[in-house]
Amino acid sequence: MMSNLAFPGQQVGDLTITAISDGSLNASLDFLSNIDPADASRMQEDAGVKDYTSIHINCYLVRGGGRTILIDAGAGGFKQWGGQLKTNLVLAGIRPSEIDTILLTHAHPDHVGGLMDSSGEAVFPNAELVVHHREVSFWQDDGNLSRAPEHARGNFLVARRAFDGYRDRLRTFDAGEVLPGMTAVPLPGHTEGHTGYRLESGGQNLLVWGDIVHFPQIQIPRPDVAIAFDQDSDLAVATRSRLLDLVSSEQLLIAGMHLSELGFAHIKRTGGNYGVTYEG
Ligand SMILES: [Zn+2]
């Protein structure tokens, strides 16, 4: 079934990459550090953002080379966040059973909540789940769970439920190529195993950068602004600064889970400042 509905998409060599929305979540600007919330609000207003606290959730469908790959799986309705991935995949012409591989950028609930349904069944019955080994070990560690603040314990349960639901088809990696033409890019800080994926085909490139930003109109111009969801905010800031330098120098096409519903962008540096230009 092909759909006439337009989802944001890009062609990278033989690969077709489509941004599939899971919906959104809301997070207070008070979660940001290194910035006054009033200044953060002003930046959202100046950028024309309508709902200042809304964070869009994207997943990415990658088709080509005989594969049907999903990168991240959205929130699945956890805390009323997102939950639209499955419906939108079907609208894009893909049944969950057709997904052969799921690459995870990390295992926060807005990325793995959509892996399991409410009855405890795996949503993607034929998919191998591919994730950095450090991400699995972090969430499986009982010491980390017991040290976590009360409000963060649910994150462990969601991650564990997902890993458990796919345990007979879970593949972990340390570095390098995870699928033909798809290379893991370590982006630690947001979580221990937070990973981007560089897709290369026919001399063209795309970087899926995961959660390098949550509020793009704030954190791209101000890479020093961290968010409370970061496990190590200093490292997250350093990783974001390093990556913005790289993708602007290389003029690399990027995709991001919280980059807005437009899904794809380039980062440009003018003088000392970074800005985002959406594609499509
Ligand atoms: Zn996220």
Side-chain angles (χ1 to χ4, degrees):
M1 180 187 89
M2 289 301 293
S3 163
N4 294 322
L5 279 169
F7 290 88
Q10 293 286 325
Q11 193 71 28
V12 174
D14 294 334
L15 302 174
T16 304
I17 298 104
T18 311
I20 307 287
S21 173
D22 184 50
S24 62
L25 63 91
N26 282 84
S28 166
L29 296 178
D30 294 338
F31 289 151
L32 297 173
S33 53
N34 293 336
I35 191 168
D36 187 285
D39 291 335
S41 295
R42 204 168 305 121
M43 290 180 82
Q44 294 287 67
E45 183 182 4
D46 290 348
V49 174
K50 292 203 178 59
D51 182 350
Y52 297 174
T53 62
S54 177
I55 295 178
H56 197 81
I57 306 170
N58 288 316
C59 308
Y60 290 90
L61 177 69
V62 183
R63 284 174 283 187
R67 290 184 173 277
T68 306
I69 301 158
L70 186 65
I71 308 182
D72 286 353
F78 175 78
K79 291 189 179 173
Q80 314 271 312
W81 297 345
Q84 298 169 25
L85 169 67
K86 216 165 115 178
T87 302
N88 283 332
L89 266 181
V90 171
L91 288 173
I94 298 292
R95 292 185 307 274
S97 60
E98 292 176 80
I99 301 290
D100 54 62
T101 314
I102 297 166
L103 305 181
L104 289 183
T105 62
H106 64 300
H108 273 156
D110 54 318
H111 302 257
V112 300
L115 289 174
M116 304 298 286
D117 67 20
S118 52
S119 59
E121 296 294 319
V123 171
F124 302 96
N126 301 314
E128 179 183 43
L129 185 64
V130 181
V131 57
H132 196 285
H133 72 85
R134 245 181 245 123
E135 197 64 12
V136 177
S137 56
F138 177 86
W139 298 106
Q140 300 283 31
D141 186 296
D142 288 334
N144 288 339
L145 172 60
S146 67
R147 283 187 291 275
E150 189 68 36
H151 68 85
R153 300 227 165 134
N155 293 358
F156 283 80
L157 304 182
V158 175
R160 288 176 178 201
R161 204 178 299 140
F163 294 144
D164 194 43
Y166 291 75
R167 65 187 173 282
D168 52 351
R169 45 205 164 99
L170 182 67
R171 172 160 65 94
T172 59
F173 61 82
D174 181 48
E177 202 173 56
V178 295
L179 286 172
M182 300 185 195
T183 306
V185 178
L187 300 172
H190 180 55
T191 65
E192 275 195 32
H194 184 235
T195 301
Y197 296 98
R198 189 171 180 132
L199 279 48
E200 292 185 56
S201 177
Q204 294 182 289
N205 285 272
L206 164 74
L207 176 70
V208 180
W209 77 7
D211 278 16
I212 281 295
V213 297
H214 292 79
F215 291 106
Q217 305 299 348
I218 297 170
Q219 292 176 292
I220 289 171
R222 287 280 313 274
D224 59 318
V225 173
I227 194 162
F229 309 145
D230 294 332
Q231 283 174 2
D232 180 337
S233 58
D234 289 344
L235 184 56
V237 165
T239 295
R240 180 164 43 256
S241 300
R242 173 174 62 79
L243 196 70
L244 288 172
D245 181 39
L246 176 97
V247 300
S248 59
S249 309
E250 278 195 36
Q251 279 302 297
L252 193 55
L253 179 63
I254 54 164
M257 281 52 201
H258 306 306
L259 197 54
S260 98
E261 67 276 14
L262 298 170
F264 299 92
H266 280 94
I267 303 299
K268 300 226 161 73
R269 182 168 20 198
T270 316
N273 298 315
Y274 295 109
V276 58
T277 308
Y278 289 101
E279 301 298 324

